Amino acid sequence: MEPTEWSNISHVCYQSSSVIDLTSHLRLAESFAYSKSDLFYIAVLLPFLCSAGVILNCSFLFVVHRVPTMKTITNVYLVNVAIADVLFLLAVLVFKLSKLRASPVVRDVSGLGPAACIILYTVANIARFASLGFISAVTWERFCAVCRPYSRRSTSSYAITVSITIWLLATALSATIIPAYGKYFEACVLWPDSPDFDSWPSRVLLIGQFAQWHSSYSNIAQTIPFFITFIVNTYFFFRIIRGLDAAMMHRTWGGRRSETDSALRSQTIRMLVVNGVAYFLCLALFQFLSLSKTIVVLTKSKMLLSVKQRKILLDAGRTLEYLNSVINPVIYTVMSRRYRDAFKAAFKCGRYLQLKRVRAATMSNSFPLGTTITNTPSRTRNTSL
């Protein structure tokens, strides 16, 4: 998703250490610089989003650590989601700001160096894949709690094993993408004879790939897990809603639902819908853009959108992806009274905290998270650590 001029120059430079002569191409040379929108995005909007995301996710981690009743199997996976979100945001922020601080050239990564670039790219990819895995684990845990309460009994050791497995799989998949950004080379740039370019570097460090197909593979390796996860989670969401209806109809007298059960069902469905829609909607645009770019490259067809339009959509897609790592703790707090009470209790001291712990304990058997709805009211599935 880069301007045509940059694509051509990058293709030349990827072959070997090259000289880029821009002495008679003032307009092209100016396109190498950050635009005003880029500067606002990287210097203002991105730090704000990342700071908010780190603060909110760390607050969630603090709440789970401090409030005993928040130590459920579901929250084990949500804790890992928060960790992945923090790692992703920090990796993106360090990468973008370091580039901006070191050079006025958009593609120049000389301020970071090859090793730091590979590490930051890899950390961001690991966090992406891990987040997909843990969101799916949360959905599976809810599905088992509602539809298969007697199939197995989740324990802390089971949740830890699943978490380690997800991190290892995310790391392995991310390692296969390294060749797409693992080649670095210097290019000598001859800038136009203008005072505006006097302070610009004569040598830039650019990112390339070892083979042209590595870029397409990188896009496919990121988009396919997303779409598979989306389909699987959507299927289990419908199964959970049907399971809730079946369980409550069995529990009520004469097939009539109590107001409490109906309220809990509504809260659970709202949590599922809002969590699922927010998560996948925030990631969908960026993934569709990556997939469309791969299709265009593989089929050698023409882009339907202009360079400017693609850049606007790409910036919007990335912003939504960053926003996804920010809003999760907000959704938990807004949609669940139990989480609101836990957040309030975690930042209070003394007797108030004790009272809130007692209250949270009495609500730990409600639907929303880490709980069980079964066809037999006297038996529940233990999901606490």
Side-chain angles (χ1 to χ4, degrees):
M1 298 298 178
E2 57 193 15
T4 305
E5 297 86 356
W6 255 115
S7 301
N8 295 334
I9 291 175
S10 298
H11 176 71
V12 172
C13 294
Y14 289 166
Q15 310 306 316
S16 62
S17 181
S18 305
V19 176
I20 304 175
D21 188 358
L22 299 175
T23 53
S24 58
H25 302 279
L26 178 60
R27 184 178 177 183
L28 181 57
E30 291 175 343
S31 70
F32 282 35
Y34 290 94
S35 65
K36 291 182 179 179
S37 60
D38 291 333
L39 293 175
F40 173 80
Y41 182 82
I42 298 175
V44 180
L45 182 59
L46 183 59
F48 171 76
L49 289 176
C50 291
S51 299
V54 171
I55 292 172
L56 291 172
N57 282 287
C58 288
S59 298
F60 176 74
L61 296 176
F62 174 74
V63 170
V64 174
H65 169 74
R66 185 167 186 184
V67 180
T69 55
M70 292 292 286
K71 293 180 173 60
T72 64
I73 297 300
T74 299
N75 282 346
V76 170
Y77 302 135
L78 292 179
V79 162
N80 281 278
V81 172
I83 294 173
D85 287 341
V86 170
L87 289 176
F88 176 74
L89 291 172
L90 290 178
V92 170
L93 183 63
V94 171
F95 181 78
K96 297 285 188 180
L97 290 183
S98 297
K99 280 180 54 184
L100 179 62
R101 181 177 179 274
S103 174
V105 180
V106 175
R107 302 290 177 177
D108 186 13
V109 295
S110 57
L112 288 165
C117 287
I118 291 175
I119 291 173
L120 293 174
Y121 265 111
T122 304
V123 169
N125 286 328
I126 291 174
R128 277 195 184 105
F129 293 131
S131 182
L132 289 173
F134 287 116
I135 289 296
S136 300
V138 171
T139 303
W140 174 253
E141 185 65 25
R142 292 171 177 172
F143 169 76
C144 289
V146 172
C147 302
R148 297 181 179 179
Y150 309 123
S151 61
R152 61 179 176 83
R153 299 185 69 84
S154 295
T155 62
S156 58
S157 59
Y158 170 84
I160 292 173
T161 300
V162 171
S163 300
I164 293 174
T165 301
I166 291 175
W167 282 112
L168 290 177
L169 290 175
T171 302
L173 185 56
S174 300
T176 66
I177 304 177
I178 292 179
Y181 53 83
K183 184 177 181 180
Y184 295 81
F185 49 89
E186 283 190 337
C188 180
V189 184
L190 303 178
W191 303 107
D193 186 15
S194 170
D196 295 336
F197 298 95
D198 289 344
S199 60
W200 285 38
S202 59
R203 302 187 70 85
V204 295
L205 183 66
L206 303 176
I207 303 175
Q209 58 268 340
F210 290 98
Q212 291 185 359
W213 63 269
H214 286 157
S215 178
S216 297
Y217 169 76
S218 174
N219 290 330
I220 293 173
Q222 293 183 61
T223 55
I224 296 302
F226 167 79
F227 288 110
I228 292 176
T229 303
F230 171 75
I231 294 172
V232 170
N233 278 264
T234 301
Y235 168 77
F236 282 117
F237 283 166
F238 282 107
R239 290 290 304 273
I240 291 170
I241 294 173
R242 290 177 59 187
L244 287 172
D245 285 335
M248 287 189 300
M249 290 300 292
H250 185 86
R251 289 173 54 170
T252 53
W253 179 264
R256 297 179 62 185
R257 298 175 182 173
S258 68
E259 293 183 3
T260 301
D261 279 349
S262 297
L264 290 175
R265 175 191 178 276
S266 299
Q267 183 181 356
T268 303
I269 293 176
R270 284 197 301 269
M271 282 288 282
L272 290 173
V273 172
V274 173
N275 273 343
V277 170
Y279 183 82
F280 290 103
L281 190 61
C282 285
L283 299 181
L285 179 58
F286 182 79
Q287 298 297 341
F288 273 113
L289 290 173
S290 298
L291 182 62
S292 64
K293 180 182 177 181
T294 303
I295 293 174
V296 168
V297 172
L298 294 179
T299 60
K300 297 181 180 179
S301 55
K302 185 179 179 181
M303 286 283 190
L304 298 178
L305 302 176
S306 66
V307 173
K308 184 177 181 180
Q309 291 172 331
R310 296 199 304 271
K311 185 179 185 304
I312 292 174
L313 287 177
L314 183 60
D315 288 342
R318 285 174 173 167
T319 301
L320 288 174
E321 186 180 24
Y322 304 152
L323 185 62
N324 172 70
S325 298
V326 178
I327 63 176
N328 283 328
V330 178
I331 293 176
Y332 308 151
T333 306
V334 172
M335 299 303 299
S336 173
R337 182 177 179 180
R338 181 186 179 194
Y339 277 79
R340 289 197 298 271
D341 288 343
F343 268 87
K344 293 176 183 177
F347 292 95
K348 299 291 184 178
C349 299
R351 185 179 177 183
Y352 182 80
L353 178 57
Q354 294 178 359
L355 292 175
K356 288 299 181 179
R357 286 175 178 173
V358 172
R359 182 179 181 182
T362 62
M363 299 183 62
S364 61
N365 290 325
S366 61
F367 293 171
L369 293 172
T371 59
T372 303
I373 304 300
T374 69
N375 290 337
T376 305
S378 60
R379 296 183 62 182
T380 58
R381 183 167 173 267
N382 182 13
T383 57
S384 60
L385 281 177

